[in-house]
Amino acid sequence: MFNKLEEIARSDQPATPFLKCRITRTLEPSVIQKSYQLNSRINWVVQSSAVDFLHLLLVTMKWLMSEYNIPGRFTLSIHDEVRFHVPLEYKYEAALALQIANLLTRSFFSAQLGIHDLPNNVAFFSGVDIDRSLRKSVKDECITPSNPHGLSISYGIEPGEELDIFTLLERVNVLKARKENLPT
């Protein structure tokens, strides 16, 4: 992996391997020595590839939400987390769409790198948080000096859920069966 990063960073026109975004011209090897600022150029490859991933994930999620009539919107991205607001009755469909968006985006990235196998633990998020509150963990009561009793007691906000792909598929299948009046 590091060899590939260095290969990109040392190339004449460094660009991300996914969306082909170029490094700023001030850091191109034609402007400065190839060995100068190598660490900065390698870091640029990593950070910019992560931005490529985020952009593709968000576009894919927007497409899936539109395609499957899931109302909602992207709200926030912090480091490796993305947050969407959706009506409660669509929470499982939106979470499943996020898992599928991740699968499609990771598949594209892997194919671009010549990796044609995607293990289950890479293809899907280990869990998708479904919550009514923005907190680090869905079970966190967020007890603070100004909120000594936590979210459940003070505000009636119950803990959220963290669901893996298998649990999400079960929940969505149950919802679908209910909508179609099928036995669950």
Side-chain angles (χ1 to χ4, degrees):
M1 179 61 116
F2 188 80
N3 290 344
K4 184 65 175 174
L5 294 173
E6 188 171 342
E7 176 188 320
I8 293 168
R10 287 185 182 275
S11 68
D12 290 335
Q13 295 180 336
T16 62
F18 312 109
L19 295 181
K20 309 298 183 211
C21 298
R22 295 270 308 276
I23 195 169
T24 176
R25 298 207 194 302
T26 58
L27 286 177
E28 281 187 351
S30 62
V31 176
I32 59 175
Q33 296 174 9
K34 279 196 177 194
S35 61
Y36 184 71
Q37 294 293 332
L38 182 61
N39 288 346
S40 293
R41 289 199 309 266
I42 291 171
N43 184 56
W44 173 85
V45 174
V46 172
Q47 298 297 328
S48 294
S49 294
V51 171
D52 284 359
F53 189 93
L54 176 63
H55 289 165
L56 288 171
L57 179 76
L58 293 176
V59 167
T60 304
M61 187 64 176
K62 183 174 176 66
W63 169 71
L64 287 168
M65 290 176 78
S66 173
E67 189 73 16
Y68 293 97
N69 298 314
I70 303 169
R73 62 190 162 111
F74 166 70
T75 307
L76 181 67
S77 169
I78 304 172
H79 302 293
D80 63 344
E81 294 183 25
V82 292
R83 302 289 176 147
F84 289 84
H85 275 117
V86 297
L88 283 175
E89 60 269 21
Y90 291 92
K91 64 185 178 182
Y92 298 127
E93 290 94 336
L96 182 58
L98 185 58
Q99 286 281 23
I100 294 168
N102 183 60
L103 170 66
L104 294 172
T105 304
R106 284 186 185 267
S107 297
F108 172 72
F109 270 51
S110 295
Q112 290 293 103
L113 295 173
I115 301 169
H116 302 292
D117 214 4
L118 203 59
N120 212 17
N121 64 341
V122 173
F124 299 103
F125 292 120
S126 59
V128 173
D129 292 352
I130 299 173
D131 205 349
R132 292 180 49 212
S133 177
L134 183 61
R135 48 186 155 184
K136 186 62 183 164
S137 167
V138 295
K139 304 285 187 220
D140 189 358
E141 276 294 326
C142 301
I143 295 173
T144 65
S146 61
N147 184 31
H149 304 293
L151 294 176
S152 296
I153 293 173
S154 298
Y155 300 98
I157 299 174
E158 296 301 319
E161 305 172 83
E162 180 184 354
L163 305 174
D164 63 23
I165 184 64
F166 303 106
T167 308
L168 271 172
L169 288 169
E170 288 172 11
R171 300 275 170 91
V172 170
N173 283 335
V174 167
L175 287 175
K176 184 178 176 188
R178 283 185 191 152
K179 287 177 186 176
E180 297 173 0
N181 293 320
L182 299 173
T184 55

